[in-house]
C-alpha cells in the first residue's frame, strides 16, 4: 500500500501507523485521516496483526490537531464536515477490534488529543504536551473532546482544560488519568514497543471482548452492562485459547494464543 501522509509498518504482530506531516506538526487533514482509515482496514483483516500503535513522525509532535489552515473562510457546513471527519476516525479507533495504543511522542493538541483519547491506551514521552487548545482560536473541541475528556477525568478538570486551552505536561496528564504511563524521551519508542509486544501475547478474542465491554458498558446501567459481560464471557469461554490458557497454567508453561 502506498501512502503519502502516514508511514505504515508491520512487524512482530504489531502495526505502527505514523502520522507523517512533521512540517505541520502532524496536523490532521482529510487526506491524513483517509490514509489512517485505509491502514486500519488493512490491519482489521490481517490475522497476524494483534496490536496497533498510532504515533507521530519527528520528535516534536504526535499531532497538533485539525489543520487550522483549512479553516479560513469557515462556515457552519464546513465546520460540521470537519467534525464528521474526525468523528469517523475516532469512532474507527474506539470500535477497532484490536487494542490501539497512542504513543504520544510530543504535542497532542486539539484534535490530536481527541484522537489519542479515542485509542485504548495512551503512553507518553516525558516531552509530550497535551491540551484542548481550540478555545485559543475561538473554537471548541470538535472530535469528541468535550465528551471523552469529561468521561476520562471528570467535569471539573475537563472544564478547566477546555476553558483555559492550557497545555499540560506528561506527568500532569498521567496524574489526571489522561495517559497510562510516561517514559523518558530517549527510550520512548523502545518502551512503547515492549508494551505493545506484551499485548501481542495475550488472547486476541479475550482482548476484543474486554474492549467492547468496557466501551459499551460505560454508557449503560450497571445491571445491563453486567448482563452484557455475562454474554461476553460466554463467547470467550468457548474459545480454543481459553483451553490453551488453562492447559498452559496446569503444565506450568507460557500459553500460545491463536485468536480462536
Ligand atoms: N494546523 C496546521 N498547521 C499547524 C498546526 C495545525 N493545527 N499546528 C502547527 N502547524 C504548523 C505551523 O503553522 C507551522 O507551519 P509554518 O512553518 O508553515 O508556519 C509548523 O506547523 C510549526 O509550527 P510552529 O511554528 O507554530 O511551532 P512552534 O514550536 O512555535 O509551536 C505549537 C508549536 C505550540 C504546537 C503551535 O504550532 C500551535 O499552537 N499549534 C496549534 C495547536 C492547536 O491549537 N490545535 C488545535 C487545532 S483545532 C482542532 O483540532 C479542532 C478540533 O477539535 C478537531
Amino acid at each position: 500500500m502506498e501512502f503519502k501522509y502516514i508511514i505504515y509498518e508491520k512487524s512482530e504482530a504489531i502495526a505502527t501507523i505514523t502520522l507523517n506531516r512533521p512540517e505541520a506538526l502532524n496536523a490532521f487533514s482529510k487526506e491524513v485521516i483517509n490514509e489512517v482509515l485505509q491502514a486500519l482496514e488493512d490491519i482489521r483483516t490481517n490475522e497476524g496483526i494483534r496490536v496497533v500503535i498510532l504515533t507521530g513522525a519527528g520528535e516534536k509532535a504526535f499531532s497538533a490537531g485539525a489543520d487550522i489552515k483549512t479553516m479560513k473562510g469557515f462556515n457552519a457546513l464546513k465546520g460540521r464536515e470537519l467534525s464528521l471527519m474526525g468523528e469517523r476516525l475516532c469512532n474507527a479507533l474506539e470500535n477497532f477490534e484490536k487494542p490501539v495504543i497512542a504513543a504520544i511522542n510530543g504535542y497532542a493538541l486539539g484534535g490530536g488529543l481527541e484522537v489519542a483519547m479515542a485509542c485504548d491506551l495512551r503512553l507518553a514521552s516525558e516531552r509530550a504536551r497535551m491540551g484542548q487548545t481550540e478555545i485559543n482560536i475561538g473554537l471548541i473541541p470538535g472530535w469528541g473532546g468535550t465528551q471523552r475528556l469529561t468521561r476520562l477525568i471528570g467535569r471539573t478538570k475537563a472544564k478547566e482544560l477546555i476553558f483555559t486551552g492550557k497545555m499540560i505536561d506528561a506527568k500532569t496528564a498521567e496524574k489526571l488519568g489522561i495517559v497510562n504511563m510516561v517514559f523518558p524521551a530517549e527510550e520512548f519508542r523502545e518502551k512503547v514497543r515492549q508494551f505493545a509486544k506484551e499485548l501481542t501475547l495475550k488472547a486476541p478474542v479475550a482482548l476484543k471482548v474486554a474492549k467492547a465491554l468496557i466501551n459499551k458498558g460505560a454508557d449503560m446501567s450497571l445491571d445491563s452492562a453486567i448482563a452484557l459481560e455475562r454474554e461476553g464471557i460466554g463467547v470467550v469461554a468457548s474459545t480454543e485459547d481459553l483451553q490453551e490458557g488453562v492447559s498452559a497454567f496446569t503444565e506450568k508453561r507460557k500459553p500460545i494464543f491463536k485468536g480462536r
Side-chain angles (χ1 to χ4, degrees):
M1 294 176 105
E2 290 281 309
F3 292 112
K4 198 166 162 204
Y5 300 106
I6 64 167
I7 303 165
Y8 177 43
E9 296 159 304
K10 294 177 266 191
S11 79
E12 299 178 298
I14 301 168
T16 305
I17 301 173
T18 305
L19 306 167
N20 191 25
R21 283 183 81 201
E23 71 290 352
L25 302 186
N26 303 320
F28 284 103
S29 60
K30 196 195 284 180
E31 291 75 18
V32 175
I33 291 181
N34 283 338
E35 290 195 1
V36 177
L37 289 170
Q38 268 182 59
L40 286 174
E41 184 53 23
D42 184 62
I43 298 164
R44 192 180 69 76
T45 53
N46 183 334
E47 276 189 27
I49 300 296
R50 296 198 173 173
V51 176
V52 185
I53 298 172
L54 179 64
T55 193
E59 294 308 310
K60 221 172 152 183
F62 171 77
S63 170
D67 193 324
I68 299 173
K69 290 174 185 166
T70 63
M71 295 179 196
K72 267 210 157 131
F74 236 36
N75 58 32
L77 281 180
K78 285 186 183 160
R80 198 173 173 280
E81 187 56 33
L82 172 77
S83 202
L84 267 175
M85 204 170 83
E87 260 176 55
R88 271 177 64 217
L89 176 59
C90 290
N91 289 344
L93 292 164
E94 196 161 68
N95 297 322
F96 202 65
E97 294 196 327
K98 303 179 189 196
V100 186
I101 298 170
I104 306 177
N105 51 306
Y107 290 117
L109 304 175
L113 181 56
E114 293 171 291
V115 167
M117 287 192 295
C119 297
D120 299 305
L121 300 159
R122 282 158 293 284
L123 307 182
S125 153
E126 64 190 354
R127 280 206 202 120
R129 297 283 177 280
M130 281 155 260
Q132 291 300 161
T133 50
E134 291 91 341
I135 204 87
N136 299 328
I137 58 163
L139 200 61
I140 59 163
W143 292 355
T146 58
Q147 304 311 307
R148 285 197 182 88
L149 184 64
T150 307
R151 282 162 168 76
L152 266 185
I153 66 173
R155 286 187 204 191
T156 307
K157 283 291 174 186
K159 282 181 182 169
E160 181 184 324
L161 290 182
I162 291 170
F163 290 3
T164 65
K166 280 197 180 135
M167 290 186 213
I168 54 172
D169 62 20
K171 277 283 167 201
T172 308
E174 186 184 26
K175 274 193 213 128
L176 286 173
I178 296 175
V179 304
N180 298 81
M181 275 163 243
V182 180
F183 298 120
E186 48 299 345
E187 42 188 65
F188 179 60
R189 306 261 178 205
E190 187 46 38
K191 291 281 186 195
V192 169
R193 203 155 175 92
Q194 272 171 23
F195 187 91
K197 191 91 190 85
E198 275 179 41
L199 290 190
T200 65
L201 303 176
K202 307 294 180 197
V205 179
L207 283 174
K208 171 165 70 175
V209 173
K211 171 170 176 169
L213 286 170
I214 293 167
N215 285 352
K216 298 289 171 218
D219 295 326
M220 297 168 85
S221 71
L222 185 60
D223 253 12
S224 306
I226 284 177
L228 193 66
E229 187 188 69
R230 194 180 314 124
E231 300 311 316
I233 207 161
V235 172
V236 179
S238 64
T239 58
E240 284 174 30
D241 280 346
L242 173 63
Q243 295 315 310
E244 164 64 6
V246 171
S247 302
F249 177 78
T250 50
E251 291 160 20
K252 300 191 187 307
R253 62 173 173 83
K254 286 209 158 77
I256 300 171
F257 295 120
K258 297 195 173 128
R260 284 183 225 135

